[in-house]
Amino acid sequence: MNRVWVVTKHGSEAQQEDEREREHTEKTDGEIDATCLERRRTLATETFSNREGSGRRARRDRGSFQVSERDQELLGLIAEQYAVTLDQLASLISCTHRTARGLRDRWCNAGWTQSAKLAVNLPPFVWLTSRGSKVAQSPFRTWNPNQGLATHIEAVTNVRLLLERELHFGSWECERVIAQSFHAGHEARTHLPDGLLVCPQRIAIEVELNLKSRARLDEIIRDLGESYDQVWYFAAPRLLPILDEIASLARWQNVTVHRYPPLAAEIADSQTAG
């Protein structure tokens, strides 16, 4: 009697097919899960980056930098002076250099300022970006870093901090404000001082670190002497003799020459004697 074997999908062959089907299902499910996860990640990224344009109201301070009154005041002063050094920033906030660096870094991360060394012998400078100018509500154009002017800018700010912040002699009006007071089409514009101290006299402040020609110094002192109540020169030691001589011959006899860097005690004593 011949036996007929009927092969069915049982045993090892059926088990292998079941395993293949299960692996295919698990792989497909895994791909779907991965695709869904990626879509969720993409959606989350798009939602975060487009939050401001979406109709959904997000928390105001999430992913943003809050602007304090101190931020606006300090950024406004930086705009007036073109830039300040990290040392000067520490002096302005009466804190350590570490705290000043932290504040500088926060501003840079917010896109309000940029910072770099502009002079070999000076600390890093901090100046405003266009975004920082908007935060400060500054009326001045954004300053483009100029290494040739860095030392002079630092010196003018040092004089301002001494006269206005340390000695409290009066309020400071920066060169950029003075320039705005002149009509744009005025052909005979006189020399602009580096700053103006109002106390209530109007004292023109001039910082001189490099030697100019005798004719140019005569012209500057004449213009400033005629335009302001007093003129205070802060000059490098090697320039003091020639400036003292020109000041002694000035028509209005209202020019005083101080050395730079200035000493608070000497400035205070000269005012008391005057």
Side-chain angles (χ1 to χ4, degrees), residues 16-34:
Q16 291 176 359
E17 184 172 336
D18 289 341
E19 289 177 354
R20 285 195 299 270
E21 184 176 354
R22 184 167 57 255
E23 289 175 356
H24 175 73
T25 302
E26 290 175 352
K27 181 179 181 181
T28 303
D29 291 342
E31 291 174 348
I32 293 174
D33 290 342

Side-chain angles (χ1 to χ4, degrees), residues 49 77 91 103 126 143 257 269:
S49 61
L77 187 145
S91 177
L103 181 60
V126 182
W143 183 67
V257 180
D269 289 344

Side-chain angles (χ1 to χ4, degrees), residues 39-212:
R39 289 181 61 187
R40 285 196 295 270
R41 288 175 177 171
T42 302
L43 180 61
T45 303
E46 291 175 349
T47 302
F48 178 80
S49 61
N50 297 323
R51 183 176 289 115
E52 293 183 358
S54 66
R56 183 179 177 183
R57 179 173 295 180
R59 215 175 70 189
R60 284 180 178 270
D61 60 346
R62 185 172 182 179
S64 63
F65 292 86
Q66 298 300 302
V67 182
S68 67
E69 291 184 4
R70 185 181 74 162
D71 288 332
Q72 289 185 316
E73 178 184 355
L74 292 172
L75 292 173
L77 187 145
I78 293 173
E80 290 180 355
Q81 300 301 115
Y82 300 102
V84 301
T85 67
L86 200 57
D87 287 358
Q88 290 169 342
L89 180 59
S91 177
L92 282 166
I93 62 178
S94 301
C95 289
T96 64
H97 286 76
R98 180 178 180 181
T99 302
R101 285 194 299 269
L103 181 60
R104 184 271 314 266
D105 293 345
R106 173 174 167 268
W107 287 345
C108 289
N109 290 334
W112 302 341
T113 62
Q114 290 182 330
S115 180
K117 282 187 69 68
L118 301 180
V120 176
N121 60 331
L122 294 178
F125 281 76
V126 182
W127 62 93
L128 268 58
T129 63
S130 57
R131 185 182 300 179
S133 295
K134 292 178 181 178
V135 171
Q137 299 180 2
S138 170
F140 310 119
R141 289 186 299 177
T142 304
W143 183 67
N144 293 320
N146 186 324
Q147 294 182 343
L149 296 176
T151 301
H152 183 262
I153 287 173
E154 188 258 357
V156 173
T157 302
N158 280 340
V159 172
R160 175 177 182 172
L161 294 180
L162 172 64
L163 299 180
E164 183 184 44
R165 299 297 179 104
E166 184 176 344
L167 296 177
H168 305 287
F169 277 176
S171 60
W172 182 274
E173 191 173 299
C174 69
E175 179 191 18
R176 306 185 86 174
V177 169
I178 299 171
Q180 289 181 342
S181 66
F182 286 86
H183 191 276
H186 199 293
E187 295 181 358
R189 189 171 78 174
T190 59
H191 177 80
L192 296 180
D194 292 318
L196 185 62
L197 187 66
V198 181
C199 57
Q201 284 188 321
R202 300 170 72 247
I203 303 174
I205 305 299
E206 190 74 8
V207 178
E208 197 66 72
L209 303 180
N210 299 306
L211 182 62
K212 292 182 173 67

